[in-house]
């Protein structure tokens, strides 16, 4: 009954100011195109439920409330009287009964996540495979052996092999100077943040087996190369965050060597042991011994004290802008210990004292809402709300229903239709604390996944472009895995074999794909109106979904379409009242809106984005 006439959300359109300070007055709004007898908002202020009457302002009802004081979070929902009955409105939608607390809207006045994330576009680089900018630090064949493999050096026109042959010591000799050399390319793409996989001293090409948290791997150029990269990136308005795993070290770390050789050493307390005295390894991988944060000394060295590893690189001359936290929900967990949240709270509080606009993003493949309430991470690598549903729309079976860690994703007989994709996106978004949706790192691919566009079982370029458009339109920050923008090659079956080197021969680029990324990057650049816009999904039929981002100034519509034939789609909605024109960001074509209705003709399996003025 009310599906198209009552709306509210924690966004710039409905909450002012969107990020209130403690005790500050904040105006809450409810959109309702019908003539109501009354409207009110209920809050949990001071431990009690308070009712505030709302006043009509055109198609909105508004009222002023007071933001709470830490550690309280303001929860609220609406009630309205229509004709002869009262109804309630929350994130669940309209009900005839008061909503449960889990469905309330929330405002956290102590949220300190950096606001620039919401309008940023991130680019993920696996440094060994991006560009070789300094041949003087190249690894040579046979440089050393590790974990049953011998180092081999490769050129960028070679194809990587899987783990059984390469043993993760096959170096293509990309380095930090190579990233610096390509900053102009990234700037043109609309990139404003770099996420770089681990760079500290390690034995392998992936570098999650750190052997020295305090120094950049010389194979990447060493500490000086990081200083140079961050200085140049910052001059160009590009932030830099670095991947780190503090859940485990590499087995060649001096701490672990000491722990093995001297069970009474302080370092021995840095690692977990099993009941039989053997060491505990992450996921049973015997090159990755798990760190034990019952050691207060370990906490001091890694993140807590001045000069600790995580603090060092936030400060000049390195001045990185944040950390991506590897296997973050697994940290500090054993059958007997559950230190995970305690440690992440300490990490946040310790590092915020050094850099107050630090960005902390955790790796979590599932619903990470419990970690992003403002006291641990700012965001997660948002597989749950972006990669997994978008891949299901393309026709992949969810990776957790596939064997082999999902590295060979199967084709799903029933790909998501528009109604199912809308439900998946909306439900996963609503699971998040409301403010935190703006600070998630959304993605399709990563170093831990075979690339979706390389999956011949499901890949359709035009449908895939629609997924890319969704990536850029979802609340939060899109993260482009290097090379996705030009459709570089890759294999299914293993992430090691899928990490192809970047292609710099422009004749081999997919120009159409690159153009889509550039136009979307331009749309997002410094666009706070889009960054803090509300988010809605409207299936038009089983094959076409409209994603709406409604800002204070403009409205952004994605027609996400996989229909097998050309069709004219008409979208009419009360929230389009007042908009008079629409511009297609790809074709530049402009159309006139009439009666709160926009029409767009789409070719088969073609999607597009309209900006409404």
């Amino acid at each position: 009954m009310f599906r198209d006439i009552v709306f509210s959300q924690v966004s710039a359109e409905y909450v002012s100011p969107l990020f209130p300070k403690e005790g500050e007055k904040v105006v809450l709004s409810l959109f309702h195109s019908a003539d109501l007898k009354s409207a009110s908002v209920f809050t949990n202020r001071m431990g009690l439920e308070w009712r505030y009457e709302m006043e009509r302002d055109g198609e909105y009802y508004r009222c002023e409330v007071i933001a709470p004081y830490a550690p309280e979070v303001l929860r609220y929902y609406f009630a309205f009287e229509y004709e002869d009955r009262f109804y309630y409105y929350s994130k669940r939608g309209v009900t005839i009964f008061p909503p449960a607390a889990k469905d309330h809207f929330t405002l956290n006045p102590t949220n300190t996540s950096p606001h620039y994330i919401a309008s940023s576009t991130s680019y993920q680089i696996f440094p060994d495979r991006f560009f070789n900018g300094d041949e003087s630090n190249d690894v040579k064949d046979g440089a050393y052996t590790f974990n049953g493999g011998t180092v081999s050096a490769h050129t960028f026109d070679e194809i990587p092999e899987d783990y059984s042959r390469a043993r993760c010591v096959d170096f293509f000799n990309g380095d930090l100077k190579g990233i610096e050399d390509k900053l102009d390319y990234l700037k043109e793409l609309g990139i404003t943040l770099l996420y770089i996989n681990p760079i500290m001293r390690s034995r392998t090409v992936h570098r999650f087996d750190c052997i020295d948290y305090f120094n950049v791997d010389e194979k990447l150029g060493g500490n000086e190369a990081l200083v140079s990269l961050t200085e140049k990136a910052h001059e160009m308005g590009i932030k830099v965050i670095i991947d780190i795993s503090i859940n485990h070290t590499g087995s060649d770390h001096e701490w672990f060597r000491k722990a093995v050789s001297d069970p009474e050493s302080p370092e021995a307390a840095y690692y977990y042991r099993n009941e039989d005295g053997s060491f505990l390894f992450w996921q049973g991988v015997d090159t990755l011994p798990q760190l034990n944060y019952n050691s207060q000394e370990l906490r001091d060295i890694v993140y807590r004290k001045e000069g600790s590893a995580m603090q060092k690189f936030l400060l000049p001359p390195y001045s990185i802008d944040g950390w991506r936290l590897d296997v973050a929900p697994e940290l500090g967990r054993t059958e007997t210990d559950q230190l995970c949240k305690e440690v992440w709270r300490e990490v946040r509080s310790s590092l915020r004292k050094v850099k107050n606009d630090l960005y902390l993003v955790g790796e979590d493949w599932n619903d990470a809402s419990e970690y992003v309430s403002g006291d641990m991470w700012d965001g997660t690598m948002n597989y749950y709300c972006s990669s997994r549903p978008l891949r299901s729309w393309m026709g992949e079976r969810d990776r957790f229903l596939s064997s082999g860690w999902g590295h060979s994703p199967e084709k799903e007989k029933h790909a998501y239709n528009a109604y199912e994709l809308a439900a998946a996106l909306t439900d996963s978004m609503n699971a998040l604390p409301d403010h935190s949706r703006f600070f998630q790192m959304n993605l399709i691919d990563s170093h831990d996944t075979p690339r979706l566009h390389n999956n011949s079982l499901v890949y359709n370029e035009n449908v895939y472009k629609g997924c890319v458009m969704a990536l850029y339109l979802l609340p939060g920050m899109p993260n482009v895995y290097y090379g996705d923008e030009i459709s570089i090659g890759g294999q299914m079956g293993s992430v090691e074999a899928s990490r192809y080197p970047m292609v710099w021969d422009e004749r081999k680029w997919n120009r159409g794909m690159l153009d889509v990324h550039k136009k979307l990057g331009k749309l997002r650049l410094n666009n706070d109106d889009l960054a803090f816009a509300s988010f809605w999904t409207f299936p038009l039929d089983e094959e076409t979904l409209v994603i709406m981002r409604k800002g204070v100034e403009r409205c952004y519509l994605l027609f996400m379409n996989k229909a097998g034939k050309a069709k004219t789609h008409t979208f009419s909605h009360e929230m389009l009242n007042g908009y008079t024109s629409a511009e297609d960001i790809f074709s530049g074509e402009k159309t006139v809106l009439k009666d709160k209705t926009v029409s767009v003709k789409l070719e088969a399996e073609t999607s597009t984005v309209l900006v409404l003025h």
Side-chain angles (χ1 to χ4, degrees), residues 127-134 156 173-179 181-182 502 504:
D128 180 71
R129 305 290 161 87
F130 191 61
F131 187 65
N132 185 345
D134 183 359
F156 269 47
N173 285 316
D175 51 30
L176 297 187
K177 180 60 167 61
I179 299 174
D181 288 348
K182 297 300 182 181
M502 181 65 175
W504 293 107

Side-chain angles (χ1 to χ4, degrees), residues 359-507:
Y359 182 55
L360 292 174
V361 55
E363 178 196 9
D364 193 334
W365 290 73
N366 299 297
D367 176 6
S369 55
E370 62 183 312
Y371 297 98
V372 293
S373 295
D375 59 348
M376 287 179 273
W377 319 335
D378 296 295
T380 181
M381 294 188 76
N382 205 10
Y383 293 98
Y384 183 64
C385 189
S386 51
S387 178
R388 290 171 66 182
L390 291 176
R391 284 174 171 258
S392 294
W393 167 258
M394 279 287 294
E396 274 192 358
R397 180 167 295 168
D398 188 79
R399 67 177 290 123
F400 291 102
L401 298 176
S402 301
S403 59
W405 284 18
H407 294 162
S408 292
E410 302 164 57
K411 183 175 181 179
E412 182 58 64
K413 183 177 181 180
H414 300 288
Y416 279 3
N417 63 35
Y419 297 95
E420 293 161 342
L421 178 59
L425 293 174
T426 301
D427 284 5
S428 57
M429 199 78 66
N430 284 343
L432 293 166
D434 288 310
H435 275 145
S436 72
R437 69 174 57 183
F438 302 114
F439 308 115
Q440 305 312 305
M441 178 185 276
N442 301 319
L443 70 163
I444 295 175
D445 300 326
S446 76
H447 62 290
D448 281 328
T449 63
R451 299 175 190 267
L452 176 56
H453 70 259
N454 295 147
N455 187 348
S456 61
L457 294 178
V458 302
Y459 183 61
N460 175 302
E461 182 168 309
N462 284 333
V463 176
Y464 177 82
K465 286 179 180 177
C467 293
V468 174
M469 295 174 201
L471 180 67
Y472 277 76
L473 265 289
L474 292 174
M477 175 177 65
N479 181 55
V480 180
Y481 187 39
Y482 80 94
D484 276 359
E485 75 279 9
I486 56 168
S487 302
I488 70 170
Q491 302 176 45
M492 297 291 109
S494 112
V495 291
E496 288 82 16
S498 69
R499 294 167 181 160
Y500 275 37
M502 181 65 175
V503 174
W504 293 107
D505 182 348
E506 296 186 21
R507 295 170 298 179

Side-chain angles (χ1 to χ4, degrees), residues 139-350:
V139 184
K140 303 296 190 294
D141 282 337
Y144 57 86
T145 59
F146 177 71
N147 190 32
T150 300
V151 166
S152 58
H154 302 268
T155 61
F156 269 47
D157 57 359
E158 295 182 66
I159 293 175
E161 296 179 317
D162 64 23
Y163 175 76
S164 64
R165 294 177 61 86
R167 307 295 292 184
C168 291
V169 287
D170 54 332
F171 290 88
F172 285 67
N173 285 316
D175 51 30
L176 297 187
K177 180 60 167 61
I179 299 174
E180 182 179 333
D181 288 348
K182 297 300 182 181
L183 287 176
D184 286 335
Y185 167 81
L186 299 174
K187 183 77 172 179
E188 186 178 351
L189 193 58
I191 301 304
T192 55
L193 184 142
L194 291 182
Y195 154 35
I196 305 175
N197 281 122
I199 63 173
M200 302 307 164
R201 284 177 177 161
S202 307
R203 295 300 184 205
T204 67
V205 66
H206 57 69
R207 296 187 170 86
F208 286 102
D209 60 320
C210 181
I211 61 172
D212 179 359
Y213 285 117
F214 291 87
N215 289 286
V216 175
D217 200 323
E218 287 79 5
K219 298 188 288 293
L220 294 174
N223 292 351
E224 297 79 8
L226 178 60
V227 172
S228 182
L229 171 60
T230 55
E231 285 181 351
K232 183 68 177 297
H234 288 162
E235 288 172 5
M236 299 175 67
I238 298 174
K239 306 283 189 181
V240 179
I241 68 169
I242 304 297
D243 209 331
I244 191 171
S245 182
I246 63 169
N247 174 73
H248 50 261
T249 68
S251 54
D252 262 6
H253 198 293
E254 62 179 353
W255 297 345
F256 188 65
R257 289 178 176 273
K258 186 70 172 177
V260 171
S261 65
D262 183 2
E264 302 303 318
S265 66
E267 289 83 358
Y270 295 177
Y271 294 93
Y272 277 111
R273 289 180 182 269
N274 297 304
E275 290 184 2
D276 63 2
S278 61
F279 286 96
L280 184 65
F281 296 92
W282 175 76
Q283 296 289 339
V285 179
D286 62 8
T287 58
L288 302 175
Q290 185 174 346
L291 290 167
N292 182 351
Y293 285 93
N294 285 299
S295 169
Q296 299 301 308
E297 184 178 34
L298 176 65
R299 297 188 189 199
D300 289 342
I301 293 171
V302 173
Y303 62 83
R304 199 160 59 183
K305 286 291 185 69
E306 182 179 353
S308 60
M310 294 184 78
Q311 291 193 24
K312 171 181 176 176
F313 291 98
L314 295 173
L315 295 168
Y318 309 100
S319 301
I320 70 169
D321 300 286
W323 294 103
R324 182 265 186 184
L325 310 167
D326 181 53
V327 297
E330 301 176 60
L331 180 110
R333 295 190 190 273
T334 68
E335 293 297 330
T336 56
D337 280 352
Q338 297 298 324
L339 303 176
C340 183
K341 293 180 180 179
E342 174 187 326
V343 171
W344 287 131
R345 289 186 178 106
E346 278 196 353
V347 168
R348 184 182 186 85
S349 62
S350 299

